[in-house]
Coordinates of all heavy atoms in Angstrom, one line a residue:
Chain A
G3 N 19.3 -76.5 76.2 CA 18.2 -77.5 76.0 C 16.9 -76.9 76.5 O 16.8 -75.7 76.8
Q6 N 12.4 -76.7 82.0 CA 11.0 -76.7 82.6 C 11.1 -76.4 84.1 O 12.1 -76.9 84.8 CB 10.3 -78.1 82.4 CG 10.0 -78.4 81.0 CD 9.1 -79.6 80.8 OE1 9.5 -80.7 80.3 NE2 7.9 -79.6 81.4
K15 N -5.6 -80.7 96.4 CA -6.7 -80.8 95.5 C -7.5 -79.4 95.5 O -7.7 -78.9 96.6 CB -7.7 -81.9 95.9 CG -8.9 -82.1 95.1 CD -9.8 -83.2 95.6 CE -11.1 -83.3 94.9 NZ -12.0 -84.4 95.5
R22 N 6.0 -74.1 83.7 CA 6.6 -73.3 82.7 C 7.6 -74.1 81.8 O 8.2 -75.0 82.3 CB 7.4 -72.2 83.5 CG 8.2 -71.3 82.6 CD 9.1 -70.3 83.4 NE 10.1 -69.6 82.6 CZ 10.0 -68.3 82.3 NH1 8.9 -67.6 82.7 NH2 10.9 -67.8 81.6
C23 N 7.7 -73.6 80.6 CA 8.6 -74.3 79.6 C 9.3 -73.2 78.8 O 8.7 -72.3 78.2 CB 7.8 -75.2 78.7 SG 8.8 -75.9 77.3
I26 N 14.1 -74.5 73.3 CA 15.4 -74.2 72.7 C 15.3 -73.0 71.8 O 14.3 -72.9 71.1 CB 15.9 -75.4 71.9 CG1 16.2 -76.6 72.9 CG2 17.2 -75.1 71.1 CD1 16.6 -77.9 72.1
L39 N 1.7 -92.3 85.4 CA 2.4 -93.5 85.8 C 1.9 -94.7 85.1 O 0.7 -95.1 85.1 CB 2.2 -93.7 87.3 CG 3.1 -94.8 88.0 CD1 4.6 -94.4 87.9 CD2 2.7 -95.0 89.4
Q50 N 2.8 -73.4 67.1 CA 3.7 -73.2 66.0 C 3.6 -71.8 65.6 O 2.6 -71.3 65.0 CB 3.3 -74.1 64.8 CG 4.1 -73.8 63.6 CD 5.6 -73.9 63.7 OE1 6.1 -75.0 64.2 NE2 6.3 -72.9 63.4
D56 N -3.0 -76.0 68.5 CA -3.9 -77.2 68.5 C -4.1 -77.6 69.9 O -3.2 -78.1 70.5 CB -3.2 -78.3 67.7 CG -4.1 -79.6 67.6 OD1 -5.0 -79.7 68.4 OD2 -3.7 -80.5 66.9
F65 N -7.8 -77.1 82.0 CA -6.4 -77.0 81.5 C -6.4 -75.9 80.4 O -7.2 -75.8 79.5 CB -6.0 -78.3 80.8 CG -5.7 -79.4 81.7 CD1 -6.7 -80.1 82.4 CD2 -4.4 -79.9 81.9 CE1 -6.5 -81.1 83.3 CE2 -4.1 -80.9 82.8 CZ -5.2 -81.6 83.4
E68 N -0.6 -71.1 77.3 CA -0.3 -69.9 76.5 C 1.2 -70.0 76.1 O 2.0 -70.6 76.8 CB -0.5 -68.7 77.4 CG -1.9 -68.4 77.7 CD -2.1 -67.1 78.5 OE1 -1.1 -66.5 78.9 OE2 -3.2 -66.7 78.7
E72 N 7.5 -66.8 70.2 CA 8.1 -68.1 70.0 C 9.0 -68.5 71.2 O 10.0 -69.1 71.0 CB 8.9 -68.1 68.7 CG 8.0 -67.9 67.5 CD 8.8 -67.9 66.1 OE1 10.0 -67.9 66.2 OE2 8.1 -68.0 65.1
T76 N 3.4 -71.4 79.2 CA 2.9 -71.8 80.5 C 1.7 -72.7 80.4 O 0.8 -72.4 79.5 CB 2.6 -70.6 81.4 OG1 1.6 -69.8 80.7 CG2 3.8 -69.8 81.8
T78 N -1.4 -74.1 82.6 CA -2.1 -73.9 83.8 C -3.2 -74.9 84.0 O -4.0 -75.2 83.1 CB -2.7 -72.5 83.8 OG1 -1.7 -71.5 83.6 CG2 -3.5 -72.2 85.1
Q84 N -6.9 -85.2 91.8 CA -5.9 -86.2 92.0 C -5.5 -86.9 90.7 O -4.3 -87.2 90.5 CB -6.4 -87.2 93.0 CG -6.4 -86.7 94.4 CD -6.8 -87.7 95.4 OE1 -7.5 -88.7 95.1 NE2 -6.4 -87.5 96.7
A88 N 0.8 -86.4 87.5 CA 1.5 -86.9 86.3 C 2.8 -86.1 86.1 O 3.0 -85.1 86.9 CB 0.7 -86.8 85.0
Y90 N 4.5 -83.7 83.5 CA 4.1 -82.9 82.3 C 5.4 -82.5 81.6 O 6.3 -81.9 82.1 CB 3.4 -81.6 82.8 CG 2.0 -82.0 83.3 CD1 1.8 -82.4 84.6 CD2 0.9 -82.0 82.4 CE1 0.6 -82.8 85.0 CE2 -0.4 -82.3 82.9 CZ -0.5 -82.8 84.2 OH -1.8 -83.2 84.6
E107 N 13.1 -81.9 81.0 CA 13.2 -82.9 82.1 C 11.8 -83.2 82.7 O 11.6 -84.2 83.4 CB 14.1 -82.5 83.2 CG 15.6 -82.4 82.7 CD 16.2 -83.8 82.6 OE1 16.5 -84.5 83.6 OE2 16.4 -84.2 81.4
R110 N 7.0 -82.8 87.5 CA 6.2 -83.9 88.2 C 5.2 -83.2 89.1 O 5.6 -82.5 90.1 CB 7.2 -84.8 89.0 CG 6.4 -85.9 89.7 CD 7.4 -86.9 90.4 NE 8.3 -87.5 89.5 CZ 8.0 -88.6 88.8 NH1 6.8 -89.2 88.9 NH2 8.8 -89.1 87.9

Side-chain angles (χ1 to χ4, degrees):
Chain A
Q6 292 189 246
K15 178 182 174 181
R22 176 187 169 106
C23 172
I26 293 173
L39 188 64
Q50 173 56 56
D56 178 349
F65 287 72
E68 294 183 349
E72 295 185 349
T76 55
T78 301
Q84 288 183 334
Y90 290 83
E107 294 286 288
R110 180 177 298 276

